[in-house]
Amino acid sequence: QVQLVESGGGLVQAGDSLRLSCVASGRTFSSYGMAWFRQAPGKEREFVTAISWSGRNTYYADSVKGRFTISRDNAKNTVYLQMNSLKPEDTSVYFCAATESGWPPNPRVYKYWGQGTQVTVSS
């Protein structure tokens, strides 16, 4: 069982930066691949980025490549999403998720989900 709690969202202007954090409970955090997804009102959940259990492999959606960076600190049971050069189209609720099946972009593979944190980017 894994419990995930996101934090760090807020209201920023275009071009600004935010760092989201996702803290996991339990002692098995390092065994899971982790990912960030986002969902805007009335839209489908969208893959953002994922990272392997070791942190040696990462994968990014084209829409955020070069602007966002995922990382993890297994000693702190935490995964991070550093978001730079934010755009209004990045406005969404951001969710972290965990899986024991690699680090794929398919949300149906992820077993555990956080409650989400709101990111709003004004123009």
Side-chain angles (χ1 to χ4, degrees), residues 26-107:
R27 297 175 60 84
T28 61
F29 175 75
S30 62
S31 298
Y32 290 84
M34 301 292 297
W36 290 94
F37 294 81
R38 63 188 183 186
Q39 188 169 21
K43 297 189 176 181
E44 295 293 314
R45 189 159 296 187
E46 175 189 18
F47 172 77
V48 178
T49 181
I51 188 168
S52 64
W53 69 268
S54 68
R56 295 175 60 88
N57 300 96
T58 58
Y59 179 46
Y60 295 92
D62 289 342
S63 59
V64 306
K65 194 173 298 182
R67 299 188 298 121
F68 290 11
T69 303
I70 189 171
S71 61
R72 66 191 298 165
D73 185 342
N74 289 344
K76 299 178 68 174
N77 287 352
T78 303
V79 62
Y80 303 97
L81 181 62
Q82 179 66 46
M83 304 184 294
N84 298 328
S85 301
L86 282 162
K87 304 175 180 179
E89 52 262 45
D90 296 320
T91 296
S92 277
V93 177
Y94 283 72
F95 299 89
C96 67
T99 181
E100 292 186 304
S101 302
W103 49 96
N106 185 353

